[in-house]
Amino acid sequence: MAGNIAKKSDKGRADGIFRILLGIDSIAALAVVYFFVVGLADGSISSFNMQLWIGILFAVAAIIAGGLAARRATKLVLANVVLAMLAVPAALYGVFIGAVVISGTPWN
């Protein structure tokens, strides 16, 4: 009986972490798509660097799709690991930008 309660709470915790990671990944994906669209509009994305951008867009989409596919296969730990590959660097960058903005000191 106690083993079932522990397993249910672990699954709930892993599902909560999954949702947080998916949210961070979604925000990061929106940022990538935004910069891609703006780059197309102002001409900074050209045939010279289009392959790099397609690779970046594909990698972000693959991470999110891989996390969702692993969750659908009830592999929550694997899904969290896959989503963390994008979420952790994105969150750390967000913390860095937040610290620069809040500190008010010139960082350049």
Side-chain angles (χ1 to χ4, degrees), residues 47-71:
S47 61
F48 177 72
N49 59 4
M50 181 63 77
Q51 289 180 341
L52 295 172
W53 274 101
I54 296 299
I56 291 168
L57 290 169
F58 179 76
V60 169
I63 287 172
I64 293 174
L68 291 172
R71 182 175 188 245

Side-chain angles (χ1 to χ4, degrees), residues 30-43:
L30 286 174
V32 170
V33 170
Y34 171 77
F35 285 117
F36 178 72
V37 170
V38 168
L40 283 176
D42 69 8

Side-chain angles (χ1 to χ4, degrees), residues 1-97:
M1 178 87 176
N4 289 340
I5 294 172
K7 288 188 181 251
K8 287 181 184 178
S9 68
D10 288 345
K11 183 179 179 188
R13 185 176 304 122
D15 192 46
I17 292 170
F18 175 84
R19 290 175 192 262
I20 292 169
L21 293 173
L22 184 62
I24 294 170
D25 284 355
S26 299
I27 293 169
L30 286 174
V32 170
V33 170
Y34 171 77
F35 285 117
F36 178 72
V37 170
V38 168
L40 283 176
D42 69 8
S44 62
I45 296 179
S46 62
S47 61
F48 177 72
N49 59 4
M50 181 63 77
Q51 289 180 341
L52 295 172
W53 274 101
I54 296 299
I56 291 168
L57 290 169
F58 179 76
V60 169
I63 287 172
I64 293 174
L68 291 172
R71 182 175 188 245
R72 192 173 304 123
T74 66
K75 307 280 188 202
L76 281 175
V77 174
L78 178 62
N80 288 343
V81 169
V82 170
L83 290 178
M85 289 190 298
L86 177 61
V88 170
L92 290 174
Y93 182 70
V95 168
F96 169 71
I97 293 299

Side-chain angles (χ1 to χ4, degrees), residues 96 99-101 103-108:
F96 169 71
V100 167
V101 169
S103 72
T105 58
W107 60 276
N108 54 355

